[in-house]
């Protein structure tokens, strides 16, 4: 090709070599040995450079002769031809890509075509992501980094990098993982066979589960997944689990008994003082990396301030800039000042100096005299005025700017707001507010284009103050009266104009430039650039600010220069337009950015006759960017043949605060060009200048930006901390003292002081003088001959683990890796987010609409490799968004702050994302090493007592003795209790069943229930052929039939087993459970209703179970009126009464045996706790199939005689207010519900409280609303419920909780507001805040509300009468002190008799039901609940006047996750996840091969799915110090929830591993 091309040396690795490499990575070789082995293997593939080409390789960039050199064959011509023609319309798009290195990369990567990725590709639903249509008029000016740099590539030959890392992603993954992790604790679980290389299109079902998960069947359709890839991923996972140790939680020091007694008498539990909590405890948490002894340190002497040449005094320089305009307007009226171009690049109009002067004068006169009245003018001199003009109309802007200067009002040029939400418009509002702007000048055309309200007024822009708009077209201006003359004082320190500047955080501030600074700056530029009167200048930059304003509007007028402005829109249509203008007008100076050089070069093929020999100075405004070197060189290479002289290229460095910092003066003809610095990236990241010698691929070439401005003084100071002078070989921030700089941030005195009034200090900290310097925001150093080199900007600085990286450098590297056509017009944004005490790098790029999924993913993995190799830094997140969706700056660049904001708020909507937290999060605390249990339980106990700790145990009150003989009979067996009630009080209504409309569809008195039970007994005896003690399954919907059938079974001497009926709409999922319970319980017969019987025998049922083998099915709908010959009475109370079957949250089906004795003591305990008797009425909205729900629904009323109003929870789905309206209608004082019912009401009725109130719903009657559950109380839900329905009269004290488990159906039950004066129901439930970090160590440390890392826990209710609870260490089985978390063990007369199992696992039986403490009370038998909790003594008093011991349930032992040696409760991680984004409806977590998997239900639109991945990863890392391994985004309702409203995490895990979730997206975090 004609243009210079960059040669890449990329060697494909032979299959043999890669096998050796991979085998060497299995861990049998040291790092040093591995490096040697690798070098040896690669030696034969990397071409050796001859000495004569070594000078060309001074950096990543070097130019080759058009004829390829023999050592390095360039890309074949056929490849390049194919590349040119591979798509139509290529010519237009060429502009946005650099040909210079892409072909070479392609040629090299062609050899890797067969390689598949080793990273597991994320899975996504095909339908989910529709690419947004490409906006046809998208500006190509697509900045990747700051304001508006275009899609420049760093023509960086990533030669050695690619040779090392692109040969095989497998290699790279292994390398990066090896270097970043310290050990592989999971490797044992993941050892799989050697990688096989042949592709396997169809994974066999027998293949490992892991393979299934990764292949995810849907990927299988995309491409055949190689088995070797899976193995690589397994190895990766094996290595990704990083190991380390958590600092222990401080154990309280021993306290003498007396002090302990004193503490006990104090009214509050002892807590550390408040301040301790609110300090950031980073030191305690974060693993601080040890400093590397090989880190380069600066060694030079302290820098001496650098002086610019003196600013000369020229006799005819004007006393003020307005005076220059007045002079030229009068003496050179015909001389052209400004030529504007139309959209095609042809001249539109020329404004002469005469016209500019007369129009500015008219405007000044109009502003001062015609806007208000004489007595009350709208504008006073010194007021600030916004200038709102589009770039395409420079003439109007010039007139407005000079008009303001002449009127002595202060112009504030801003961008034209295009919509209310325009990117950054809010921040422009901040600028206008801080500058006190209330008036805006604009043109008629621009005003018409502004968004309007329906009645034609200009809308109020977001965050803007109220504005008055003034149109400045000539026809609206008034000619000044004869006697009026503008006041043109000699330049002084008053503000002349305000230029806006966006900070790193996105706030827009105004830099005020005084009249003297403005004039001095023009003089300094005139001297540095050697401007002459009457020259012609072509300006491609924005004339509202920066270089475009300083050279093209101010200095040009001072020197009577003719400026030709090439607006942005013209550049879009015709990128060569500025070169043509230079050629046509024989311009002497051109003012451009790198992107303009780049586009001109891309489009120059059509231009044969352009001549650039007239140019004496080509000013490159962004000469300080990392890619400017290559742009300048490439441009020179193309246009040197068109007369462009090498010495005219003049890069410069500028800053909004200090204005021009340095500019290269044009060199003499034929003089040697300035040298370049080839710096080591490693050194740069430590702010040290080191010339790069060995590692060619991690070097940065920088060109100088010339000398500092005339009359200025410059130092380099440390960018953070006090402004200490740097050493000569250290990178720091450039600070300038000059009369030609900005003076302040207008209206922001605080920020001004830190920027404009900096006094550098020496090593000892003493100031070096009196004179204040201004911070420029540029990072750089002074090279030989006092040349200034800039290596980056403060705002692009990313500080990762103590090393500095420059966003622009990372952009350049990402742009250079373009093996697949992925990035749309080079639009890439790089920023950092702070997660877990360090900055993490995020790269966001726009994806081309035609890029395939696989291409994009490949590009992402290549970028990871390149950045890892060149910059030695890990990326946290790489995201691709659809083309044209990133927020834009006014000139079409990417608005970095807004992009970052969108990323953090989950509004970025990526279409591809790759998170790599495992590689880059290196500051996690070391995992906790479990201590061997040398300390026996006895010594633990003694230790606890010595330390003044109480043993954690608590007891309910006494059950008391029943005296009355009659009652004893009644209480012995429930079946007798029902007969006794039917005789003594036959018409007392025990049950009322409501339907969805709230109508009582069925009631049962004592006699009716007894008679119905007798009928069922008779039928059972007749038709069932049953023996005493047989099991009978009751399959009924919630209702009175179920209760009658239960007592029918007791009367017949058979054992009832209640089972939830299958869901008719979902038989496939629900019928197998029914079948399983029937099989496990060996039921001899099934009692049910006719509709259910039909379902059991239906064809649909046959699809999921064998319907031919059901036991006898008896329907109880139409029974004959028969009485049984006798009613069975059990010989002893120890006989079984019923079986209680339930599926636990871990998916275990367990049945427990309940004896008659246990049933009656349980009922008695509840009667005492809740004060139940015949005249009471309670409402129950629970499922009646197991646990406490069954007891309250079927047993309690028979025992205590109270009336139960039954509300089947399913009815709430069709009528939400049913439960609450029942409470109100029947004036219920006590009600029982489940969390799912409470959640339904909270979510469904929370917004309708006003409507309900209007309907007369009143809950002030409710005294107790008890939530029945087998889990940690859901504090957030109960509080929301209480708050929402407070308006309906619900007492804040009413809601409380209960707790039961499989072994003991009821342990705690909170009941309120007892009628008895002594308050038998006990105190209100207490809430405590515990430290989560301690909890992970099984310690309980109370903290204040609001402390960081605190978790609120609510007491699970008052312990029932007759129940004893103790907290036990599940490993040693010794009792624990009350500062420990342990398993809750229970001893009570109503504990179940044991598990009902088929195979009789006696070991489990003994372990769970008849366990003894290893120390303490050897004779007491305890039952293990399987739940972790703790007991705290509170200040409240219980019924007997003693202090109340509260039991706090934390979570199920089976569900806890052991990660990094700590114990985590899934609910805590899920709470964090659900808070991460508004669209996460529900979430669940589980572990899989030591990786944490988070499943989140997405309630929003599918385009938000990928937004959740980084947010979920961030929040879990921040709050739980865990790295999420896999994030699965699914539809609402996918997470299985059981009837009690508990998540079935194990079911979910099984479905995930079997690939049955149909996820929207699965992200594998690297």
């Amino acid at each position: 090709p004609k243009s210079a091309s960059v040669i890449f040396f990329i060697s494909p690795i032979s299959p043999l070599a890669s096998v050796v490499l991979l085998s060497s990575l299995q861990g049998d070789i040291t790092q040093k040995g591995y490096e040697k082995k690798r070098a040896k293997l690669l030696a034969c593939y990397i071409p050796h450079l001859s000495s004569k080409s070594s000078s060309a390789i001074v950096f990543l960039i070097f130019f080759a002769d058009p004829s390829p050199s023999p050592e390095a064959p360039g890309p074949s011509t056929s490849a390049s031809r194919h590349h040119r023609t591979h798509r139509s319309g290529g010519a237009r798009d060429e502009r946005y890509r650099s040909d210079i290195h892409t072909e070479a990369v392609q040629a090299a990567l062609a050899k890797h075509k067969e390689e598949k990725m080793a990273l597991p590709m994320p899975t996504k639903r095909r339908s989910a992501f529709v690419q947004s249509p490409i906006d046809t008029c998208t500006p190509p000016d697509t900045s990747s980094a700051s304001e508006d740099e275009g899609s420049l590539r760093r023509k960086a030959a990533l030669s050695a990098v690619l040779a090392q890392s692109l040969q095989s992603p497998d290699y790279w993954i292994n390398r990066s993982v090896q270097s970043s992790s310290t050990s592989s604790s999971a490797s044992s679980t993941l050892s799989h066979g050697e990688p096989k290389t042949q592709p396997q299109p169809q994974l066999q079902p027998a293949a490992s589960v892991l393979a299934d998960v990764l292949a995810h069947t849907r990927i299988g359709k995309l491409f055949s997944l190689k088995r070797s890839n899976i193995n690589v991923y397994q190895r990766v996972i094996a290595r990704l689990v990083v190991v380390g140790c958590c600092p222990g939680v401080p154990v309280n020091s021993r306290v003498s008994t007396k002090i302990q007694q004193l503490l006990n008498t104090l009214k509050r539990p002892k807590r550390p003082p408040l301040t301790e909590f609110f300090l950031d405890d980073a030191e305690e948490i974060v693993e601080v990396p040890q400093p590397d002894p090989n880190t380069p340190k600066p060694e030079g002497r302290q820098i001496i301030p650098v002086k610019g040449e003196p600013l000369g005094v020229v006799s005819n320089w004007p006393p003020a800039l307005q005076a220059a305009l007045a002079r030229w307007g009068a003496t050179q009226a015909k001389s052209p000042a400004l030529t504007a171009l139309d959209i095609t690049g042809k001249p539109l109009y020329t404004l002469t100096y005469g016209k500019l002067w007369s129009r500015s004068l008219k405007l000044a006169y109009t502003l001062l005299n015609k806007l208000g009245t004489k007595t009350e003018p709208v504008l006073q001199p010194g007021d600030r005025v916004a200038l709102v003009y589009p770039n395409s109309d420079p003439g109007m802007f010039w007139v407005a700017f000079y008009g303001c200067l002449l009127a002595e009002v202060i112009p504030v040029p801003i961008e034209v707001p295009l919509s209310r939400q325009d990117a950054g418009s809010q921040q422009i509002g901040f600028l206008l507010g801080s500058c006190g702007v209330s008036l805006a000048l604009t043109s008629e055309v621009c005003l018409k284009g502004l968004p309007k309200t329906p009645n034609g007024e200009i809308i109020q822009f977001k965050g803007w103050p109220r504005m008055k708009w003034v149109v400045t077209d000539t026809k609206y201006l008034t000619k000044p009266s004869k006697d009026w003359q503008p006041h043109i004082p000699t330049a002084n320190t008053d503000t002349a104009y305000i230029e806006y500047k966006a900070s790193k955080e996105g706030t827009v501030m105004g830099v005020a430039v005084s009249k003297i600074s403005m004039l001095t700056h023009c003089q300094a530029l005139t001297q540095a650039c050697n401007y002459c009167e009457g020259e012609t200048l072509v300006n491609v930059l924005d004339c509202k600010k920066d270089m475009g304003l300083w050279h093209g509007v101010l200095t040009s007028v001072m020197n009577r220069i003719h400026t030709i402005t090439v607006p942005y829109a013209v550049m879009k249509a015709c990128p060569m337009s500025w070169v043509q203008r230079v050629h046509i007008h024989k311009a002497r100076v051109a003012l451009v950015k790198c992107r303009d050089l780049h586009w001109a070069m891309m489009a120059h093929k059509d231009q044969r006759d352009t001549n650039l020999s007239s140019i004496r100075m080509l000013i490159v405004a962004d000469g300080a960017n990392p890619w400017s070197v290559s742009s300048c060189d490439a441009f020179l290479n193309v246009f040197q043949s068109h007369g462009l002289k090498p010495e005219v290229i003049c890069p410069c460095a500028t800053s909004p605060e200090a204005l021009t910092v340095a500019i290269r003066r044009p060199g003499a003809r034929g003089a040697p060009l300035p040298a370049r610095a080839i710096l080591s990236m490693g050194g740069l990241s430590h702010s040290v200048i080191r010339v790069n010698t060995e590692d060619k691929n991690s070097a940065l070439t920088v060109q100088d930006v010339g000398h500092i401005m005339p009359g200025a003084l410059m130092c380099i100071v440390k960018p953070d901390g006090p402004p200490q002078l740097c050493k000569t070989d250290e990178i720091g921030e450039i600070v300038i003292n000059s009369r030609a700089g900005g003076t302040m941030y207008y209206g922001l005195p605080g920020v001004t002081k830190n920027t404009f009034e900096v006094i550098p200090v020496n090593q000892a900290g003493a100031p070096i003088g009196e004179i204040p310097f201004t911070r420029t925001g540029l990072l750089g150093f002074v090279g030989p001959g006092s040349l200034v080199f800039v290596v980056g900007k403060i705002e692009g600085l990313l500080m990762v683990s103590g090393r500095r990286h420059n966003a622009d450098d990372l952009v350049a590297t990402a742009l250079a890796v373009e093996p697949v056509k992925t990035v749309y017009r080079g639009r890439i944004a790089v920023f950092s987010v702070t997660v877990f005490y360090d900055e993490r790098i995020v790269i966001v790029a726009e994806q081309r609409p035609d890029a395939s999924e696989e291409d994009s993913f490949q590009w992402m993995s290549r970028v990871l490799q390149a950045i890892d190799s060149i910059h030695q830094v890990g990326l946290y997140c790489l995201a691709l968004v659809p083309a044209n969706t990133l927020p834009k700056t006014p000139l079409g660049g990417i608005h970095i702050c807004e992009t970052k904001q969108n990323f953090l708020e989950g509004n970025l909507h990526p279409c591809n994302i790759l998170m790599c937290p495992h590689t880059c999060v290196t500051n996690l605390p070391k995992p906790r090493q479990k201590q061997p249990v040398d300390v026996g339980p006895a010594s633990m106990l003694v230790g606890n007592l010595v330390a003044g700790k109480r043993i954690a145990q608590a007891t309910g009150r006494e059950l008391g003795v029943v005296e009355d003989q009659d009652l004893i009979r009644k209480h012995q067996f429930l079946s007798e209790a029902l007969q006794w009630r039917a005789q003594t009080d036959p018409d007392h209504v025990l049950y009322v069943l409501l339907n969805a409309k709230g109508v009582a569809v069925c009631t049962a008195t004592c006699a009716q229930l007894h008679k119905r039970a007798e009928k069922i007994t008779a039928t059972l005896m007749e038709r069932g052929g049953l023996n005493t003690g047989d099991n009978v399954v009751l399959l009924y919907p919630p209702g009175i039939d179920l209760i009658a059938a239960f007592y029918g079974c007791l009367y017949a001497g058979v054992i009832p087993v209640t089972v939830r009926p299958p869901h008719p709409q979902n038989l496939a999922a629900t019928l197998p459970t029914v079948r399983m319970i029937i099989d496990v319980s060996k039921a001899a017969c099934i009692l049910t209703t006719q509709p259910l019987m039909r379902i059991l025998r239906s064809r649909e049922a046959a699809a999921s179970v064998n319907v031919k083998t059901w036991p006898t099915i008896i329907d109880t709908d139409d029974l004959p009126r028969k009485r049984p010959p006798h009613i069975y009475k059990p010989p002893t109370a120890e006989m079984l009464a019923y079986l209680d079957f339930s599926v636990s949250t871990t998916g275990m089906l367990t049945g427990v045996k309940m004896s008659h004795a246990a049933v009656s003591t349980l009922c008695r305990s509840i009667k005492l706790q809740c004060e139940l008797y015949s005249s009471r009425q309670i409402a129950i909205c629970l499922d009646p199939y197991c646990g406490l729900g069954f007891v309250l629904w079927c047993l309690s009323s028979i025992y205590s005689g109270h009336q139960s109003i039954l509300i089947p929870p399913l009815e709430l789905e069709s009528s939400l207010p049913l439960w609450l309206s029942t409470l109100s209608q029947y004036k219920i004082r006590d009600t029982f519900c489940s969390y799912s019912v409470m959640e339904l009401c909270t979510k469904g009725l929370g917004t309708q409280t006003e409507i309900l109130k209007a309907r007369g719903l009143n809950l002030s009657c409710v005294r107790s609303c008890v939530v029945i559950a087998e889990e940690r109380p859901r504090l957030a839900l109960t509080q929301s419920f209480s708050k929402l329905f407070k308006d309906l009269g619900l007492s804040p004290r009413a809601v409380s909780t209960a707790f039961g488990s499989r072994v003991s159906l009821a342990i705690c039950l909170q009941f309120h507001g007892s009628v008895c004066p002594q308050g038998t129901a006990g105190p209100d439930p207490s809430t405590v805040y515990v430290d989560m970090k301690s909890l992970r160590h099984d310690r309980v440390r109370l903290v204040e509300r609001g402390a960081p890392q605190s978790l609120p826990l609510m007491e699970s209710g008052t312990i029932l009468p007759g129940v004893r609870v103790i907290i036990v260490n599940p490993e040693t089985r010794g009792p624990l002190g009350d500062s420990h978390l342990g398993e809750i063990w229970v001893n009570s007369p109503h504990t179940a008799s044991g598990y009902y199992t088929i195979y009789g696992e006696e070991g489990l039986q003994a372990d769970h039901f008849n366990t003894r403490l290893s120390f303490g009370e050897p004779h007491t038998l305890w039952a293990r609940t399987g739940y972790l909790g703790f007991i705290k003594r509170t200040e409240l008093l219980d019924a007997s006047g003693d202090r109340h011991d509260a039991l706090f349930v934390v979570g199920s032992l089976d569900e806890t996750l052991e990660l990094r040696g700590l114990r985590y409760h899934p609910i805590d991680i899920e709470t964090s996840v659900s808070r991460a984004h508004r669209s996460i409806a529900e979430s669940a977590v589980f572990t899989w091969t030591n990786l944490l998997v988070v499943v989140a239900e997405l309630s929003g639109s599918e385009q938000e799915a990928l937004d959740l991945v980084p947010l979920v990863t961030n929040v879990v890392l921040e709050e739980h110090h865990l790295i999420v391994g896999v994030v699965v985004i699914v539809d609402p309702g996918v997470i299985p929830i059981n009837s009690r409203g508990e998540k079935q995490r194990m079911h979910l895990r099984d479905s995930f591993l079997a690939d049955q979730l149909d996820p929207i997206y699965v992200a594998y975090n690297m």
Side-chain angles (χ1 to χ4, degrees), residues 153-443:
R153 305 302 130 94
R154 173 192 206 166
K155 292 79 192 186
L158 296 169
S159 50
V161 188
L162 294 165
Q164 279 176 24
S165 59
L166 295 187
Q167 58 242 352
S168 134
D170 306 27
Y171 153 68
W172 175 74
I173 278 205
N174 281 299
R175 183 186 152 276
S176 81
V177 166
Q178 202 173 36
S179 59
S180 68
S181 70
T182 50
S183 107
S184 60
S185 60
S187 49
S188 54
T189 56
L190 285 164
S191 48
H192 287 268
E194 277 302 293
K196 300 183 181 53
T197 45
Q198 80 279 10
Q200 259 184 303
Q202 225 35 63
L203 288 169
Q204 299 306 312
S208 70
V209 179
L210 186 61
D212 287 345
V213 175
L214 292 182
H216 241 295
T217 62
R218 255 179 267 118
I219 288 193
K221 295 169 196 160
L222 298 178
F223 58 89
S224 63
L225 207 132
K226 285 191 187 173
R227 174 56 56 86
S228 63
N229 296 340
I230 293 167
N231 279 318
V232 168
Y233 186 50
Q234 289 164 350
R235 285 199 303 278
V236 174
I237 295 174
R239 293 211 181 84
L240 286 183
V241 185
V242 188
V243 181
C245 104
C246 203
V249 175
V251 179
N252 294 18
S253 56
R254 300 177 172 196
V255 188
S256 74
T257 330
K258 285 198 170 160
I259 296 179
Q260 189 56 50
Q261 287 165 350
L262 173 68
L263 291 182
N264 288 344
T265 58
L266 294 176
K267 271 294 166 236
R268 301 194 59 137
K270 179 78 178 89
R271 298 179 185 183
L274 263 180
T275 51
E276 186 174 319
F277 293 112
F278 300 95
L279 287 177
D280 195 355
D281 44 8
E283 300 74 42
E284 188 185 320
I285 299 171
V286 179
E287 177 70 1
V288 182
Q290 292 309 310
D292 180 0
N294 305 325
T295 302
K297 298 211 164 37
E299 293 149 10
R301 55 177 174 73
Q302 183 174 302
I303 193 170
I304 299 163
V306 180
K307 250 186 142 102
E309 62 196 79
L311 181 57
V313 178
V314 179
S315 55
N316 66 348
W317 274 355
L321 198 58
Q322 305 92 301
L325 177 59
R327 173 182 166 194
W328 304 131
T331 63
Q332 299 278 350
K334 295 275 189 289
S335 174
L338 166 75
T339 299
L341 304 184
D342 67 9
I343 193 76
T344 62
K346 304 275 186 305
L348 184 64
Y349 61 78
T350 294
L351 194 65
T352 61
Y353 274 97
K355 281 265 175 22
L356 178 59
W357 167 246
S358 62
R359 288 184 189 171
S360 307
L361 212 51
K362 276 187 188 172
L363 178 60
Y365 179 74
T366 308
L367 291 178
L368 290 177
N369 299 294
K370 296 293 173 188
L371 292 184
T373 59
K374 273 217 169 97
T375 49
E376 285 183 30
V378 170
L379 280 179
Q380 302 277 4
D383 285 351
R384 277 75 54 212
V385 174
L387 269 48
V388 185
Y389 295 92
N391 278 358
S392 53
D393 196 357
M396 292 291 285
F397 173 75
W398 280 43
V399 169
F401 192 89
Y402 280 105
C404 288
L405 291 186
L406 289 170
E408 292 191 277
V409 297
I410 301 174
V412 184
I414 59 171
E415 305 303 336
V416 179
L418 299 176
S419 71
R420 181 168 152 62
Q421 281 294 20
D422 209 11
S425 62
Q426 200 170 355
Q427 282 88 341
I428 291 285
F430 176 77
L431 166 80
L432 298 175
S434 62
C435 296
V437 176
S438 57
L439 188 81
L441 306 186
T442 188
S443 65

Side-chain angles (χ1 to χ4, degrees), residues 556-573:
S556 60
V557 166
M558 185 169 122
N559 293 292
R560 194 175 63 78
I561 287 171
H562 176 197
T563 305
I564 293 131
T565 300
V566 184
Y568 172 55
V570 176
M571 286 295 294
K572 273 198 303 196

Side-chain angles (χ1 to χ4, degrees), residues 10 43 105 110 160 472 480 514 532 582 590 668 684 707 726 767 890 934 941 1035 1121 1156 1224 1311 1357 1378 1381 1431 1553:
I10 299 181
V105 180
T472 62
S514 68
C532 303
V582 171
L684 278 179
H707 291 93
C726 288
D934 299 335
L941 183 71
L1035 204 61
R1121 287 208 180 137
H1156 285 281
S1224 170
F1311 218 71
D1378 63 1
L1381 181 71
I1431 287 173
L1553 295 179

Side-chain angles (χ1 to χ4, degrees), residues 621 780 1233 1272 1342:
C1233 70
R1272 175 199 302 181
L1342 296 191

Side-chain angles (χ1 to χ4, degrees), residues 1059-1265:
V1059 179
R1060 169 189 305 282
H1063 197 291
Q1065 270 78 52
N1066 193 4
L1067 286 179
T1070 52
L1071 197 57
T1073 311
V1074 174
R1075 178 84 229 193
M1076 199 165 143
I1077 296 176
I1078 288 170
D1079 293 348
V1080 169
S1081 63
K1082 296 192 252 173
C1085 161
I1086 301 173
L1087 290 181
T1088 185
T1089 62
Q1090 276 170 8
L1092 281 168
M1093 183 160 105
R1094 282 197 287 277
I1095 286 174
L1096 291 183
R1097 292 186 168 146
S1098 68
R1099 194 175 300 149
E1100 291 83 355
S1104 41
V1105 299
N1106 183 354
V1107 295
K1108 295 197 171 68
T1109 55
W1110 291 121
T1112 317
I1113 301 178
I1114 301 176
D1115 89 75
T1116 58
D1117 283 358
D1118 303 314
L1119 294 179
R1121 287 208 180 137
K1122 280 190 180 167
R1123 290 185 65 180
H1126 66 276
I1127 288 177
Y1128 172 81
K1129 180 181 176 187
T1132 74
E1134 299 314 311
M1135 298 281 289
L1136 279 195
Y1138 72 98
L1139 295 180
D1140 186 306
F1141 272 91
S1142 160
V1143 179
S1144 74
T1145 48
T1146 50
M1148 295 284 293
L1149 173 71
T1150 48
V1152 293
K1153 303 185 282 197
M1154 290 294 288
S1155 67
H1156 285 281
V1159 166
S1160 49
T1161 42
L1162 175 55
C1163 289
R1164 176 130 191 267
S1165 186
I1166 292 173
K1167 175 187 164 79
L1168 282 175
Q1169 187 84 332
C1170 303
E1171 299 159 5
L1172 300 173
Y1173 33 84
S1174 305
S1175 60
R1176 296 290 295 279
Q1177 198 180 33
I1178 65 170
I1180 303 173
C1181 191
L1182 288 168
D1183 271 326
Y1185 300 107
C1186 59
L1188 201 46
F1190 168 77
V1191 172
L1192 289 166
W1193 189 284
C1194 291
L1195 313 181
S1196 218
S1197 274
I1198 307 296
Y1199 184 93
S1200 308
H1202 58 271
Q1203 186 185 59
S1204 297
I1205 295 175
L1206 307 176
I1207 306 163
L1210 265 175
E1211 304 288 5
L1212 260 66
E1213 289 179 14
S1214 49
S1215 166
L1216 265 180
L1218 173 63
W1219 173 50
L1220 297 181
S1221 53
T1222 305
L1223 300 182
S1224 170
Q1225 181 188 341
Y1226 288 84
K1227 303 225 177 339
I1228 300 285
R1229 287 169 60 181
D1230 307 300
T1231 179
F1232 296 87
C1233 70
S1234 64
Y1235 280 122
S1236 20
V1237 166
M1238 192 167 264
E1239 194 164 26
L1240 265 177
C1241 293
T1242 307
K1243 287 183 176 166
L1245 299 174
T1247 52
Q1248 301 175 21
T1249 46
E1250 287 305 311
I1251 304 168
L1252 296 174
K1253 201 171 182 179
R1255 286 194 203 152
L1257 196 88
N1258 182 353
L1259 299 179
S1260 54
C1261 51
V1262 178
R1263 208 179 54 177
S1264 277
C1265 168

